[in-house]
Amino acid sequence: MSVAASNLSREELLALYQRMLLIRRMEEQLARDCAAGKLPGPVHLYVGQEAIAVGVCHHLEDRDWITSTHRGHGHFLAKGGDPARMMAEIYGRADGICGGFGGSMHVADFSKGIIGANGIVGGGIALATGAALAAQLDGDGKVAVAFFGDGAANQGVLMEALNVGALWKLPLILICENNGFSEFSPTATVTAGRIVERARPFGVPALKVDGNDVLAVWQAANQAVRRAREGGGPTLIEAITYRTRGHVEYEVTFITEPYRSEAEVEAWRAKDPIGRFAAYLATHGLAAADELEAIERAVGETVAEAVRVAEASPEPDPASATGHMFANPR
Amino acid sequence: MSVAASNLSREELLALYQRMLLIRRMEEQLARDCAAGKLPGPVHLYVGQEAIAVGVCHHLEDRDWITSTHRGHGHFLAKGGDPARMMAEIYGRADGICGGFGGSMHVADFSKGIIGANGIVGGGIALATGAALAAQLDGDGKVAVAFFGDGAANQGVLMEALNVGALWKLPLILICENNGFSEFSPTATVTAGRIVERARPFGVPALKVDGNDVLAVWQAANQAVRRAREGGGPTLIEAITYRTRGHVEYEVTFITEPYRSEAEVEAWRAKDPIGRFAAYLATHGLAAADELEAIERAVGETVAEAVRVAEASPEPDPASATGHMFANPR
Amino acid sequence: MARKRMIQAMNEAILEEMERDPSIVLFGEDVKASLFGDTRGLWKRFGPDRVRDTPICEALISGMAVGAAAAGRRVICHMMFGNFVYTGMDAIANQAAKLRYMTNGQITLPITFLAVSGGGRSAAAQHSDAVHPVLANLGGIKIVMPGSPADAKGLLKAAIRDDDPVFFLQAAGRGGEPGEVPDEELVIPLGEACIRRPGRDVTLVAIGAMVRPAIKCAEALAGEGIEVEVVDPRTLVPLDLETILASVRRTGRLIVVDEARDTCSSASHIAALAAEHAFDALRAPIRRVTVPDCCIPYAPVLERAVLPGVEHIEAAVRATVGWRRPR
Amino acid sequence: MARKRMIQAMNEAILEEMERDPSIVLFGEDVKASLFGDTRGLWKRFGPDRVRDTPICEALISGMAVGAAAAGRRVICHMMFGNFVYTGMDAIANQAAKLRYMTNGQITLPITFLAVSGGGRSAAAQHSDAVHPVLANLGGIKIVMPGSPADAKGLLKAAIRDDDPVFFLQAAGRGGEPGEVPDEELVIPLGEACIRRPGRDVTLVAIGAMVRPAIKCAEALAGEGIEVEVVDPRTLVPLDLETILASVRRTGRLIVVDEARDTCSSASHIAALAAEHAFDALRAPIRRVTVPDCCIPYAPVLERAVLPGVEHIEAAVRATVGWRRPR
Ligand SMILES: Cc1ncc(C[n+]2csc(CCOP(=O)(O)OP(=O)(O)O)c2C)c(N)n1
Ligand SMILES: Cc1ncc(C[n+]2csc(CCOP(=O)(O)OP(=O)(O)O)c2C)c(N)n1
Ligand SMILES: [Mg+2]
Ligand SMILES: [Mg+2]
């Protein structure tokens, strides 16, 4: 990690830290809620991958677009989505960001440029390409970012997006979060070659970064976002990371055989992006212990408040269930 | 063109010539028939690309599989499909190879390993991958070849097939016939980078050949087929060629603006694979003028016979129209 | 009024709407060359920014339509043949039909998908499907199937102005059919059926390409004193059920003519709606004239056997009008 | 007889068939780990040649199923969730449903596609669609929707042995439901409906997951003297119309319960068939209990509002039985 290269101020560095921690603590809360049977649907947690969403979204404004995945809480929060309204959504409440209609896999806030989490693996790639087209036509330097997994990189739509993105020089940034697994399949068993290479035949610049190093991600995204804003076209970034929790929270209830070793998980836990970044900040004298503790407390308060809001929120009105399929029903 | 490199006997060389000429003359007949209003549906002719189907299929046996495209007559004939039954099919007759149910875009003969022409651009790629899987399981050295166009190379399913083909080391040969156009779009306007490169990220060997040189195609296919038979996995071959006739026979009736120059077409006509090969055979003393004439006559007779058979064939029985959707209707 | 071909009417509709609303972007495969003629001249008029030829990649194209619409554009997305809807189905079914709902109506998705529908020209199984039942079951896609050039123009303009995803399905190979089109601005609201021909004996609901043979059949039978009322729903989603039911209540008999395969067709659905909501008015079994559950074959003689034609419709009318309750 | 969970019954069916027929190959995403349990243990038993985890690429997977079948294999292809059928739709609609027909029956396509169908677990819009109407309209795909563990076993075995493409749609989240399954070989032919409960007053056709609430409703109403006949079609293509019509002719009343969206649902189709072929026997409007034309929402209270439940079915039965022809 190198702060010199990143040119980030101390405040910005602490903001990165705060955002990663917020994602982590929100999801730890969700993990507990899930175990307690409080969540109606499945949740896929982003624990261990926070540096990617945060390192990328730091470059984005509300007007920029992102699309996300089934593992979308981190992207939502990193892009400025409201924690309480996210929590309420996952609780299935009326004050949820999608009124309880979407749930964990569909948290979205268009006012913040969050086109949303997505239950279709690879589904966000085409949406982001379309948003990039809209951004290009708007002509004001907006960009569109698609976050997707290593598993999604095997959907042909990625190649289609690289092709169109390159042809039209779209302001499109493709962020592949390679976390080692497609559900329960280790990446190498379902993914030939190197994902980062897949951009090259199209002449699309591509780079691979340590996805557990928020500053490395920040750097890579910095280049890519700048290029996109300046009309230089798309970039593919492969960020190497690891999913330290399950694919889905209750997987132990149905997965009968282990698909990875505890040692492997432990080894990656040691590379945790938040712990690493905290150590970096401390080592370089960029944050005092009490500053980090203050952030921890503030984040804890945000999470607690999110839970309060979510719990206080009523259930949606069943009469509204069919209400808004169309903007103009007739 | 180098016969030394190809190790082909004179008889084999003449067989290549004969097969290319057969495709050409059959299609010239179809062009006339179409102009005369004798064909019920659209036909997409292969004129100018014959060296590819013939150069590849020369390596294949009946038990090997091929999948083809909307421009599929050449592949059908190169793989040993019956000319008369193809003609009858395109005429919409009961003796057609598909009983008149398929037509030009669906000529198929499974007994010859011809899974068929295909109206869905890119559709044959997945079928060939599946056939390659079946071939691999059969374990007897069969291979599967997918012919497809440069336009089809932009369908994401190509990337998906490269990935699975590489992972499973399938006996799959992907032949991209880059004929300069996707319908009326010049290749460069819809295709970023170089198609041949698209195999590399997956570790799949790929090569680009002059698709108007039957011996060059033969050589490339020789390598690829051998590798596939020996368990070495897939190969991508990009064969550069040109479509000298229209995308579809009656395109002048609806295309209001030219999409290419006559000069360009003329330049490519000069590189016609059949003329070139005839000259090569003559120059190298591999065929006397009267031998080539004899082939021409024999081919002419085959075409005439195909027309006779097709014209003599009755129309299909309308009562059979719903007959064979299922093998076991109930 | 001027006599125009259907495809010309569509072309004018797109052109006028793109003139009117600069936020519209149009893309698809070969929209510049324009296979069918509906997008002819638009590239020249509006330039390569707003009119874009895409590579062949329907999965991306349909998803881009959703993304661009979500990001504020009004989109016209050309899918060419109905069968290629399947190739781009993922984003149509999982995104276009759902994104607004899943996000609690945060956005509108003003997308007009264009495609031709149905057979009749020996284009064979992979170029002849009528895909409207598949789209209709998705719930979040509006469906327009025009039966005349004037309707094509007025409905296409309404579709483009609509804030929801709309599939505009033009009958394949029928773009050349002429008809009178008003010269003045013409916008026909989605969801309003039209009675093409009044009649007291039987209601014939005819969808899209089926309107013409239905009218022909009605005219032929009028000579025999059988008065057929031809109702053209014009849009299947939303469906103008009131007009259909009112007609059925008047005639007491219903036949639905639909170029879809029978199982789960729009014909089935309209029949089911009548069997629920106009049951007491029905004086005969509800018949459907549809494509049997098979593919569309190539040879003309086979294709004619499976596509609903005037003679199939006529047989259904005679059977319905002649039906007597068994004792 | 032994008490087994539905997913266990399915697992046994696949295992027994793969033992029996070495030409069977099974592939799909994470079939080794087995999300639902239906493919559990098969990788260990049959090895990585015959049981293959694929990457995430539904467009390829569905097409490979067709190619491998055309090349002589018997294929089991796991599509996981019904919504991913859309992602792999191209080869399902354009190849699997058509290749045999287009080539004049030159080949058989013995493919069993597996997927879960429907909602009920707050999996939200992109994991809860019931896709059978979309598949049924394609014409060339058989559709099995089992209503009990025994049926699941017997029908899945028949599906695997069948020489045509079959979609086997298991009700999502209902794999744990127990039931008696015979110990001996059990193969239930496709196309044979079964009367789950006889009754004289009204025919309740209930599809797949709807069988259970239909029976519950029938039991509850029996106490009031309303005798509901519950017919489980078991397969939608082919459809055992005779059994359904015979029941309607006996009861004079029909309700169809289907977890699909209403428009162009199987409920609509079955209603349409009855409105044509059993018209003279009908004594009340045909009702459908379906999902309204909307997506499946996340929050349980919303989801319950749109999915057909016992109370919705009961209301339909009461309305149907109590209906009197207006004067
Ligand atoms: C089209 C589609 N196919 C399959 C699935 C089931 N599924 C959900 S997550 C997942 C694995 C995704 O892997 P990856 O893209 O690497 O994301 P990760 O879960 O690792 O974050 C799969 C196969 C899906 N949701 N959508
Ligand atoms: C899925 C699909 N999309 C679009 C089409 C329409 N179409 C037919 S041929 C063609 C161009 C194909 O180009 P290429 O693959 O290069 O083959 P070529 O025609 O040059 O032989 C297109 C777009 C189609 N048949 N299928
Ligand atoms: Mg992953
Ligand atoms: Mg081409």
Side-chain angles (χ1 to χ4, degrees):
Chain A
M1 291 194 182
S2 152
V3 72
S6 74
N7 284 327
L8 281 161
S9 70
R10 216 177 68 88
E11 286 62 40
E12 287 176 304
L13 291 169
L14 291 181
L16 291 176
Y17 181 75
Q18 184 275 344
R19 203 55 72 99
M20 289 201 285
L21 199 68
L22 173 66
I23 298 171
R24 176 68 56 87
R25 298 293 178 249
M26 283 287 285
E27 292 211 311
E28 286 169 347
Q29 178 64 39
L30 286 167
R32 286 190 297 275
D33 292 339
C34 184
K38 282 172 66 176
L39 305 182
V43 284
H44 307 80
L45 301 187
Y46 194 61
V47 172
Q49 306 181 207
E50 296 89 346
I52 301 169
V54 170
V56 171
C57 290
H58 190 260
H59 299 283
L60 305 181
E61 305 163 21
D62 283 355
R63 65 189 190 125
D64 294 315
W65 300 106
I66 67 164
T67 64
S68 168
T69 69
H70 55 288
R71 202 175 299 290
H73 311 148
H75 309 121
F76 179 91
L77 294 171
K79 186 68 167 46
D82 183 70
R85 299 204 61 195
M86 183 181 100
M87 196 63 100
E89 183 62 31
I90 301 170
Y91 278 39
R93 303 304 170 90
D95 295 307
I97 190 70
C98 298
F101 282 82
S104 164
M105 279 193 283
H106 304 292
V107 288
D109 185 348
F110 290 84
S111 71
K112 300 274 186 201
I114 305 165
I115 294 181
N118 209 310
I120 299 300
V121 170
I125 294 172
L127 299 185
T129 310
L133 168 60
Q136 183 181 61
L137 289 167
D138 290 347
D140 55 1
K142 282 198 291 285
V143 304
V145 178
F147 292 97
F148 57 97
D150 50 295
N154 293 326
Q155 291 278 32
V157 73
L158 173 61
M159 188 186 93
E160 300 179 353
L162 284 163
N163 190 38
V164 169
L167 286 166
W168 295 356
K169 279 198 174 290
L170 294 180
L172 174 66
I173 297 142
L174 297 159
I175 310 281
C176 179
E177 308 190 27
N178 187 339
N179 65 359
F181 298 91
S182 251
E183 281 188 358
F184 313 103
S185 299
T187 305
T189 64
V190 287
T191 312
R194 299 169 67 223
I195 292 170
V196 65
E197 297 293 335
R198 295 185 184 179
R200 308 230 199 269
F202 303 92
V204 170
L207 54 164
K208 193 165 168 172
V209 296
D210 178 349
N212 282 24
D213 176 347
V214 69
L215 295 182
V217 173
W218 189 96
Q219 296 269 24
N222 191 31
Q223 275 182 49
V225 173
R226 184 171 313 152
R227 174 159 44 235
R229 290 208 199 284
E230 290 169 356
T235 306
L236 171 67
I237 295 174
E238 182 184 2
I240 306 299
T241 182
Y242 193 84
R243 156 166 80 60
T244 49
R245 295 193 65 91
H247 165 65
V248 64
E249 270 311 283
Y250 49 75
E251 72 183 35
V252 286
T253 63
F254 63 86
I255 289 297
T256 49
E257 309 253 335
Y259 58 95
R260 58 183 181 179
S261 71
E262 250 319 302
E264 182 181 299
V265 181
E266 271 317 313
W268 276 94
R269 278 212 191 96
K271 295 189 242 175
D272 183 81
I274 299 178
R276 259 171 90 187
F277 193 47
Y280 168 86
L281 292 173
T283 316
H284 290 73
L286 293 159
D290 62 344
E291 277 182 305
L292 296 185
E293 274 161 36
I295 291 175
E296 182 79 56
R297 268 195 311 278
V299 161
E301 188 35 52
T302 304
V303 174
E305 172 64 11
V307 171
R308 274 193 296 275
V309 168
E311 286 188 334
S313 175
E315 293 202 317
D317 176 5
S320 73
T322 61
H324 52 270
M325 279 299 281
F326 291 124
N328 311 315
R330 168 69 79 104
Chain B
M1 293 195 183
S2 152
V3 73
S6 75
N7 284 325
L8 281 160
S9 71
R10 216 176 70 85
E11 286 63 42
E12 287 175 302
L13 291 169
L14 291 181
L16 292 175
Y17 181 76
Q18 184 275 344
R19 203 56 71 99
M20 290 201 286
L21 200 67
L22 173 65
I23 298 172
R24 175 69 55 87
R25 297 294 178 250
M26 284 286 286
E27 292 211 312
E28 286 169 346
Q29 177 64 40
L30 286 167
R32 286 189 297 275
D33 291 339
C34 184
K38 283 172 67 177
L39 306 182
V43 283
H44 307 80
L45 300 187
Y46 194 61
V47 172
Q49 306 182 208
E50 296 88 347
I52 302 169
V54 170
V56 171
C57 290
H58 190 259
H59 300 283
L60 305 181
E61 304 162 20
D62 283 357
R63 66 190 189 123
D64 294 314
W65 301 105
I66 68 163
T67 65
S68 168
T69 69
H70 55 287
R71 203 175 299 290
H73 310 147
H75 309 121
F76 179 90
L77 294 171
K79 186 69 168 43
D82 183 69
R85 299 203 61 196
M86 183 181 101
M87 195 63 99
E89 184 60 32
I90 302 169
Y91 278 41
R93 302 305 170 89
D95 295 307
I97 190 68
C98 298
F101 283 82
S104 164
M105 280 194 282
H106 305 291
V107 288
D109 184 347
F110 290 84
S111 72
K112 301 275 185 200
I114 304 166
I115 294 182
N118 208 311
I120 299 301
V121 170
I125 294 172
L127 299 184
T129 310
L133 167 61
Q136 183 181 62
L137 290 167
D138 290 348
D140 54 1
K142 281 199 291 288
V143 305
V145 178
F147 292 97
F148 57 96
D150 50 294
N154 293 325
Q155 292 278 31
V157 74
L158 173 61
M159 189 185 92
E160 299 179 355
L162 285 163
N163 189 38
V164 168
L167 287 166
W168 296 356
K169 278 196 174 296
L170 294 179
L172 174 67
I173 297 142
L174 298 159
I175 309 280
C176 178
E177 307 190 28
N178 186 339
N179 66 359
F181 298 91
S182 255
E183 282 186 359
F184 313 103
S185 299
T187 306
T189 64
V190 287
T191 311
R194 297 169 67 224
I195 292 170
V196 66
E197 297 292 336
R198 294 184 185 180
R200 307 228 200 269
F202 303 93
V204 170
L207 54 164
K208 191 163 168 173
V209 295
D210 178 349
N212 282 21
D213 176 348
V214 68
L215 296 181
V217 173
W218 189 95
Q219 296 269 24
N222 192 31
Q223 275 182 49
V225 173
R226 183 171 314 150
R227 173 160 45 234
R229 290 206 199 286
E230 289 169 358
T235 305
L236 171 68
I237 295 174
E238 181 183 3
I240 306 300
T241 183
Y242 192 84
R243 157 168 78 60
T244 49
R245 294 193 65 91
H247 165 65
V248 64
E249 270 312 284
Y250 49 76
E251 72 183 34
V252 286
T253 62
F254 63 87
I255 289 297
T256 48
E257 310 251 336
Y259 58 93
R260 57 182 181 179
S261 70
E262 251 319 302
E264 180 180 300
V265 180
E266 271 316 313
W268 276 93
R269 278 211 191 96
K271 295 188 244 176
D272 183 79
I274 299 178
R276 259 171 91 186
F277 193 48
Y280 168 87
L281 292 174
T283 317
H284 291 72
L286 292 158
D290 62 344
E291 275 182 305
L292 296 185
E293 272 159 36
I295 291 174
E296 181 80 55
R297 267 194 313 278
V299 162
E301 188 36 51
T302 305
V303 174
E305 172 64 12
V307 171
R308 273 192 297 276
V309 168
E311 285 189 334
S313 176
E315 293 202 317
D317 176 6
S320 72
T322 61
H324 51 270
M325 279 299 280
F326 291 124
N328 311 313
R330 170 69 78 106
Chain C
M1 285 286 208
R3 217 164 160 71
K4 282 174 187 161
R5 298 181 304 117
M6 184 177 288
I7 210 72
Q8 228 180 316
M10 287 176 61
N11 186 248
E12 283 181 14
I14 303 174
L15 191 139
E16 288 172 21
E17 292 306 304
M18 287 189 75
E19 293 278 10
R20 190 175 163 270
D21 182 349
S23 85
I24 296 174
V25 56
L26 181 153
F27 54 82
E29 294 157 21
D30 282 305
V31 290
K32 181 176 164 193
S34 192
L35 251 80
F36 306 132
D38 46 359
T39 58
R40 189 163 296 153
L42 299 175
W43 185 85
K44 273 208 180 145
R45 180 75 152 251
F46 299 106
D49 260 8
R50 293 183 63 199
V51 178
R52 297 188 182 211
D53 271 349
T54 65
I56 309 174
C57 51
E58 290 80 7
L60 183 78
I61 293 170
S62 58
M64 276 178 59
V66 180
R73 289 279 144 180
R74 193 163 288 272
V75 177
I76 303 175
C77 176
H78 209 307
M79 301 296 294
M80 207 182 290
F81 280 89
N83 287 67
F84 313 159
V85 167
Y86 304 133
T87 321
M89 187 75 177
D90 176 44
I92 293 165
N94 281 319
Q95 313 292 348
K98 296 183 169 60
L99 192 55
R100 174 181 164 79
Y101 182 88
M102 294 190 299
T103 59
N104 198 21
Q106 285 184 45
I107 41 158
T108 57
L109 291 173
I111 307 168
T112 303
F113 292 104
L114 300 173
V116 299
S117 162
R121 304 178 308 151
S122 283
Q126 289 176 337
H127 286 75
S128 302
D129 270 3
V131 296
H132 54 277
V134 163
L135 294 168
N137 185 255
L138 300 177
I141 306 286
K142 294 179 176 174
I143 300 173
V144 178
M145 297 185 75
S148 75
D151 276 9
K153 180 162 186 184
L155 291 166
L156 183 47
K157 289 178 72 109
I160 294 171
R161 292 186 195 182
D162 199 90
D163 280 338
D164 295 309
V166 183
F167 249 93
F168 186 95
L169 297 168
Q170 179 230 333
R174 305 273 291 271
E177 281 181 19
E180 294 297 325
V181 179
D183 297 321
E184 59 282 5
E185 171 83 320
L186 177 67
V187 181
I188 301 173
L190 308 187
E192 294 189 7
C194 121
I195 297 183
R196 293 262 170 209
R197 192 183 192 288
R200 61 163 190 268
D201 295 323
V202 55
T203 298
L204 197 58
V205 172
I207 298 168
M210 299 294 102
V211 171
R212 221 163 67 129
I215 291 175
K216 264 199 197 148
C217 169
E219 282 165 359
L221 291 171
E224 300 180 25
I226 302 177
E227 289 296 339
V228 176
E229 178 148 302
V230 179
V231 180
D232 173 359
R234 302 204 284 203
T235 67
L236 295 172
V237 177
L239 180 69
D240 182 355
L241 186 57
E242 293 67 37
T243 299
I244 294 171
L245 292 180
S247 173
V248 174
R249 289 207 185 90
R250 278 193 300 274
T251 64
R253 299 182 183 91
L254 172 63
I255 297 164
V256 192
V257 194
D258 185 1
E259 200 188 336
R261 269 181 287 274
D262 190 52
T263 296
C264 298
S265 58
S266 292
S268 293
H269 189 61
I270 292 169
L273 289 168
E276 176 169 7
H277 300 293
F279 178 75
D280 50 300
L282 286 171
R283 289 187 286 151
I286 303 174
R287 283 190 172 71
R288 305 175 313 287
V289 184
T290 52
V291 174
D293 289 324
C294 70
C295 300
I296 309 302
Y298 169 75
V301 60
L302 295 172
E303 199 177 21
R304 273 195 301 276
V306 306
L307 294 182
V310 177
E311 49 313 338
H312 301 99
I313 303 171
E314 201 179 301
V317 171
R318 288 187 196 284
T320 301
V321 172
W323 189 85
R324 296 290 169 274
R325 194 172 288 276
R327 294 272 60 214
Chain D
M1 283 287 207
R3 218 166 159 70
K4 283 174 186 161
R5 297 182 303 118
M6 183 176 288
I7 209 72
Q8 230 180 315
M10 286 176 60
N11 186 248
E12 284 180 15
I14 303 174
L15 191 139
E16 289 171 21
E17 292 306 304
M18 287 188 74
E19 294 279 11
R20 190 175 163 271
D21 182 350
S23 85
I24 296 175
V25 56
L26 181 153
F27 53 82
E29 295 157 22
D30 283 304
V31 290
K32 182 178 165 193
S34 193
L35 251 79
F36 306 131
D38 45 358
T39 59
R40 190 162 296 154
L42 299 174
W43 186 84
K44 274 206 180 147
R45 181 75 151 252
F46 299 105
D49 260 8
R50 292 183 64 200
V51 178
R52 298 189 182 211
D53 272 349
T54 65
I56 309 174
C57 50
E58 290 81 8
L60 183 79
I61 294 170
S62 58
M64 276 178 58
V66 180
R73 289 280 144 179
R74 194 164 287 274
V75 176
I76 304 176
C77 176
H78 209 307
M79 300 296 296
M80 206 182 289
F81 281 89
N83 287 67
F84 313 158
V85 167
Y86 304 133
T87 322
M89 187 76 176
D90 177 43
I92 294 165
N94 281 321
Q95 313 293 348
K98 296 184 168 61
L99 192 56
R100 175 181 163 78
Y101 182 89
M102 294 190 299
T103 59
N104 200 21
Q106 284 183 47
I107 42 157
T108 57
L109 292 173
I111 308 168
T112 303
F113 291 104
L114 301 173
V116 298
S117 162
R121 305 179 308 151
S122 282
Q126 289 176 337
H127 287 75
S128 302
D129 270 4
V131 295
H132 54 277
V134 163
L135 294 168
N137 184 255
L138 300 176
I141 307 286
K142 294 179 177 174
I143 301 174
V144 178
M145 297 186 75
S148 75
D151 276 9
K153 181 161 186 187
L155 291 165
L156 183 47
K157 289 177 72 107
I160 295 171
R161 291 186 197 184
D162 199 272
D163 280 338
D164 295 309
V166 183
F167 250 93
F168 186 95
L169 297 168
Q170 179 231 332
R174 306 274 289 272
E177 281 181 19
E180 294 298 325
V181 179
D183 297 320
E184 59 282 6
E185 173 80 321
L186 177 68
V187 181
I188 301 173
L190 308 188
E192 294 188 7
C194 121
I195 297 183
R196 293 263 171 208
R197 190 183 193 288
R200 61 164 189 267
D201 294 323
V202 56
T203 298
L204 198 58
V205 173
I207 299 168
M210 299 294 102
V211 170
R212 222 163 66 130
I215 291 174
K216 265 199 197 146
C217 168
E219 283 165 357
L221 291 171
E224 302 179 24
I226 302 177
E227 288 296 340
V228 176
E229 177 148 303
V230 179
V231 180
D232 174 359
R234 302 204 284 202
T235 67
L236 294 173
V237 178
L239 180 70
D240 181 356
L241 185 58
E242 293 67 37
T243 300
I244 294 170
L245 292 180
S247 173
V248 173
R249 289 209 184 89
R250 279 193 300 274
T251 64
R253 300 182 182 92
L254 173 63
I255 297 165
V256 192
V257 194
D258 184 1
E259 199 188 336
R261 270 182 285 275
D262 189 53
T263 296
C264 298
S265 58
S266 292
S268 293
H269 189 61
I270 292 169
L273 290 168
E276 176 169 6
H277 301 293
F279 178 77
D280 50 300
L282 286 172
R283 287 187 285 151
I286 304 173
R287 283 189 171 72
R288 305 173 312 287
V289 184
T290 51
V291 173
D293 289 325
C294 70
C295 299
I296 309 301
Y298 170 75
V301 60
L302 295 172
E303 200 178 20
R304 273 196 300 277
V306 306
L307 293 181
V310 177
E311 54 305 343
H312 301 98
I313 303 172
E314 201 180 301
V317 171
R318 288 188 195 284
T320 301
V321 172
W323 188 85
R324 295 290 170 272
R325 194 172 289 276
R327 295 271 59 214

